[in-house]
Amino acid sequence: MGLGMNIGIDLGTASVLIYVHGKGVVLNEPSVVAVHARTGKVLAVGESAALMMGRTPDQVQAIRPLKDGVISDFKVTEIMLKALISRVHTGFLARYFKPTIVVCVPSVITSVEQKAVEDACKHAGAKVVYLIREPIAAAIGAGIDITQASGSIIVDIGGGTTDIAVISLCESVVDSSIRVGGDKFDEAIIKFIRRKHNVLIGEPTAEDLKINIGCAYPREEELSMEVRGRNLITGMPATLTITSTEMLEALEEPVSQIFEAVHSVLERTPPELMADISQRGIVLTGGGAQLYGLDRMLAAKVGIEVNLAEDPVSCVAIGTGLALNIMDEFNALEG
């Protein structure tokens, strides 16, 4: 691999995780860049830029350059990658040797979107760029031996997409990618509170609700949380108490879409692999997989055991980094 650093990048809609060979996941920052609208000057990248979202004056824009798992603003993505890579690729070697980068992409991606990811990484300083499909990276990161001739199913729920794949011998045999993930959960919560209570809340508040009392399956104990927003009728500040039962109702649509996608992949799975899956169960990865009760809801509906990976948030980043070690064994990586 040469003297340059080997880096795995989970380039996500909500956050960017970077894995460095020999060190593990060394960076986890929101995929946000704050830019001065008039001058175009970059003011902040990552965590510091995310804190500005919804709180900036008109001349400062907090931009999320990825939408639904793909690059929507190429220039800003490049700036973000350059800044984040430079935080981990430092010292003597960084001055003289460019890193080899493995970056994950959704399982369903166009060649134009694929090229945009490659170009953004190269412009951000990569020597060589390899692409790996998200569910394959997630499977490697979750500790599944994908080189075996037996079926495993991964459901990776990120910020912008849910990627589902039945994997055997390092290849996706059946896969699907839907543009539903953590962001759609937040949107559903905002819409529900607007419709039911005539109150507008911001994305950070919706995310707090999702994390603290959100659920995809009824909780044993009712939880509630107080939130603040703006009353749409009076225009004045409003305080509400939202319950976990309301969250179950609010999240019903995006959760159903994930189930439908899993169901459709299982329907298209060859019988031999289906037998393996029935034995091994479904593995859930990604930040969105942490929604309370999502594993139980899926298990109840499909009748197969569902397991949440040990570190669901880092699985894809770890998998991208480890993929370099087994590059000779599979062709899911494309240069």
Side-chain angles (χ1 to χ4, degrees):
M1 294 291 169
L3 286 168
M5 192 181 265
N6 294 331
I7 293 175
I9 299 180
D10 175 4
L11 182 60
T13 307
S15 50
V16 177
L17 279 80
I18 297 183
Y19 176 99
V20 172
H21 187 65
K23 293 182 182 174
V25 175
V26 294
L27 181 141
N28 180 351
E29 296 260 349
S31 310
V32 183
V33 178
V35 179
H36 194 288
R38 198 163 38 80
T39 62
K41 185 176 180 240
V42 175
L43 304 171
V45 172
E47 189 69 56
S48 49
L51 293 171
M52 298 181 184
M53 286 195 86
R55 294 189 169 95
T56 59
D58 289 347
Q59 65 266 34
V60 178
Q61 290 178 304
I63 300 166
R64 290 179 67 178
L66 286 107
K67 187 165 172 51
D68 300 333
V70 293
I71 294 173
S72 60
D73 189 323
F74 181 82
K75 191 74 203 145
V76 175
T77 300
E78 196 186 304
I79 289 165
M80 177 179 77
L81 276 172
K82 201 172 270 184
L84 297 179
I85 290 168
S86 70
R87 289 182 198 175
V88 301
H89 191 236
T90 55
F92 170 78
L93 283 178
R95 286 220 315 260
Y96 300 100
F97 301 100
K98 291 182 168 185
T100 295
I101 290 178
V102 181
V103 62
C104 70
V105 291
S107 53
V108 179
I109 187 172
T110 67
S111 53
V112 173
E113 289 165 344
Q114 205 163 299
K115 187 161 181 352
V117 174
E118 280 178 28
D119 289 349
C121 289
K122 280 188 177 154
H123 290 160
K127 176 179 69 178
V128 187
V129 179
Y130 296 103
L131 301 186
I132 182 170
R133 306 286 168 184
E134 212 156 301
I136 300 233
I140 297 169
I144 294 170
D145 183 356
I146 65 164
T147 62
Q148 298 299 307
S150 57
S152 301
I153 182 167
I154 279 279
V155 179
D156 179 63
I157 307 167
T161 59
T162 291
D163 287 274
I164 305 146
V166 173
I167 301 163
S168 178
L169 286 173
C170 305
E171 286 280 351
S172 287
V173 180
V174 187
D175 59 26
S176 175
S177 180
I178 57 166
R179 297 194 168 184
V180 175
D183 287 355
K184 283 285 191 288
F185 294 164
D186 296 345
E187 274 175 38
I189 291 167
I190 292 168
K191 279 182 190 165
F192 175 83
I193 290 173
R194 185 177 192 152
R195 190 177 66 243
K196 188 171 177 184
H197 299 285
N198 273 317
V199 168
L200 183 64
I201 60 166
E203 276 177 37
T205 305
E207 193 171 12
D208 281 349
L209 280 167
K210 174 183 73 182
I211 292 166
N212 294 307
I213 65 167
C215 51
Y217 193 86
R219 286 181 180 264
E220 284 82 14
E221 191 187 325
E222 176 86 313
L223 296 179
S224 63
M225 186 174 151
E226 198 175 81
V227 295
R228 290 175 179 78
R230 188 176 80 238
N231 187 303
L232 290 165
I233 296 164
T234 64
M236 301 301 282
T239 303
L240 287 174
T241 299
I242 303 294
T243 65
S244 51
T245 304
E246 286 181 297
M247 285 293 96
L248 186 65
E249 192 185 332
L251 292 164
E252 190 181 350
E253 191 185 335
V255 164
S256 295
Q257 288 173 313
I258 290 171
F259 160 68
E260 292 300 338
V262 172
H263 186 245
S264 135
V265 166
L266 289 171
E267 274 186 331
R268 291 181 283 131
T269 301
E272 293 79 10
L273 295 179
M274 197 64 189
D276 295 337
I277 288 165
S278 299
Q279 236 178 348
R280 291 171 151 204
I282 294 169
V283 178
L284 284 185
T285 62
Q290 296 176 113
L291 178 67
Y292 177 91
L294 193 59
D295 49 351
R296 287 168 69 185
M297 181 280 298
L298 274 176
K301 286 198 170 187
V302 298
I304 298 172
E305 190 186 346
V306 177
N307 303 299
L308 186 64
E310 198 178 309
D311 184 357
V313 175
S314 302
C315 277
V316 172
I318 293 167
T320 53
L322 295 179
L324 277 168
N325 303 337
I326 56 166
M327 275 172 67
D328 302 336
E329 293 188 48
F330 75 112
N331 51 16
L333 290 165
E334 302 156 37

